[in-house]
Amino acid sequence: MRNILYRIVLILLSIAAFSCTQKEVDEYGYLSVSVSEEIDADIVVKSEAEGEGTESDGGEDAGPEVIYSIKVVDSEGKVDAEVADHRTIETTPVSLLMGRYDVIASNGEEGSGFNSPRWGGENSVRIWADQQASVDITCTMKKVMFSVSFPEDDEFKSKFPSYSLSVRAGESEDADVLVFSNSPKEGEGSFSDVAYFEVPSDRKIIYTLYVTNADGVQYSSAGQVEQVSAAEHYH
């Protein structure tokens, strides 16, 4: 009698274990991600001369393909999956537990710098058991851009052998500052570079021009741009 009861208990435990395992398997679904590569379409170029902004059509030169890193974040803020190259997850879905997730795509580093764009975007998706879900993400520029040009003729250069432009992202004491120069030192940029800033909290870009003439006399002039936004290029 004891042997029969022992066998029944073993059978029930086996069934329970199988059911739990099957439940765990069934709770997983699969995710693939597609990231938009039309990254130039939303850039608005603004200048004092033009007044109104003009929108880039993005059709002249697409440039090299941009590679995005992917993070999959669950409802509790935990990163459940990370992929360094978005092209991987486009073709090879990742396995995830059932639930709702935020999928974040990014390219570039935070902070200010020359020629240092940062693109990003996100979307949400729900994963169902034993099903494949896909999510499309459109990435946009997350920084504000600033560039400047000067006359390249010899007459101007002979009259003003030295000139530079200091650009500050906001009025706070710890605001980032980037300097353009016709003779750039380490950490400075030339006038062919583009400065990228995280959008300052006061949404101001402040600039000061320094020009030294052939006699060694320096002149300066300051100005600012207000209500700046990400994906705007001030030139």
Side-chain angles (χ1 to χ4, degrees):
M1 186 64 165
R2 289 181 179 178
N3 288 338
I4 293 175
L5 290 174
Y6 180 70
R7 290 177 182 176
I8 291 173
V9 170
L10 286 179
I11 292 171
L12 291 174
L13 289 174
S14 299
I15 292 173
F18 176 79
S19 298
C20 291
T21 302
Q22 186 66 32
K23 181 179 180 181
E24 289 178 0
V25 171
D26 289 344
E27 285 181 347
Y28 280 86
Y30 304 92
L31 172 68
S32 62
V33 178
S34 177
V35 179
S36 169
E37 295 181 359
E38 295 179 359
I39 58 177
D40 291 330
D42 68 329
I43 301 300
V44 177
V45 180
K46 295 189 175 183
S47 68
E48 292 183 2
E50 294 172 356
E52 295 297 327
T54 58
E55 188 168 331
S56 168
D57 60 11
E60 294 181 1
D61 183 7
E65 182 180 6
V66 178
I67 306 302
Y68 293 92
S69 62
I70 302 294
K71 284 186 179 181
V72 183
V73 182
D74 65 19
S75 58
E76 297 179 353
K78 176 186 174 184
V79 178
D80 280 21
E82 287 189 81
V83 179
D85 187 333
H86 74 277
R87 297 172 299 182
T88 302
I89 198 171
E90 283 181 341
T91 57
T92 307
V94 296
S95 177
L96 296 166
L97 279 168
M98 283 195 307
R100 180 168 290 278
Y101 295 86
D102 290 324
V103 186
I104 304 168
S106 62
N107 173 277
E109 301 295 330
E110 294 186 356
S112 302
F114 288 105
N115 309 316
S116 59
R118 180 169 67 88
W119 302 90
E122 62 182 275
N123 206 346
S124 60
V125 64
R126 177 171 288 280
I127 299 298
W128 298 99
D130 202 29
Q131 295 182 23
Q132 180 168 323
S134 62
V135 63
D136 296 323
I137 299 176
T138 300
C139 289
T140 59
M141 169 60 65
K142 297 301 182 182
K143 296 182 181 181
V144 57
M145 294 155 281
F146 194 100
S147 63
V148 64
S149 59
F150 279 85
E152 295 292 332
D153 58 278
D154 293 335
E155 181 181 3
F156 178 85
K157 293 180 180 179
S158 64
K159 289 182 178 180
F160 303 101
S162 175
Y163 47 93
S164 64
L165 186 75
S166 175
V167 186
R168 185 184 187 91
E171 294 183 323
S172 65
E173 293 183 358
D174 59 348
D176 289 340
V177 178
L178 295 176
V179 177
F180 294 89
S181 174
N182 67 321
S183 300
K185 302 174 183 178
E186 184 177 356
E188 296 180 342
S190 69
F191 289 104
S192 62
D193 293 323
V194 178
Y196 288 82
F197 296 97
E198 299 293 337
V199 179
S201 58
D202 59 10
R203 297 180 63 188
K204 291 181 180 180
I205 296 292
I206 303 162
Y207 56 88
T208 304
L209 172 66
Y210 300 94
V211 178
T212 303
N213 66 15
D215 296 325
V217 179
Q218 186 183 75
Y219 302 90
S220 65
S221 177
Q224 67 181 29
V225 183
E226 299 183 353
Q227 299 301 310
V228 301
S229 299
E232 289 182 346
H233 185 173
Y234 293 90
H235 178 74

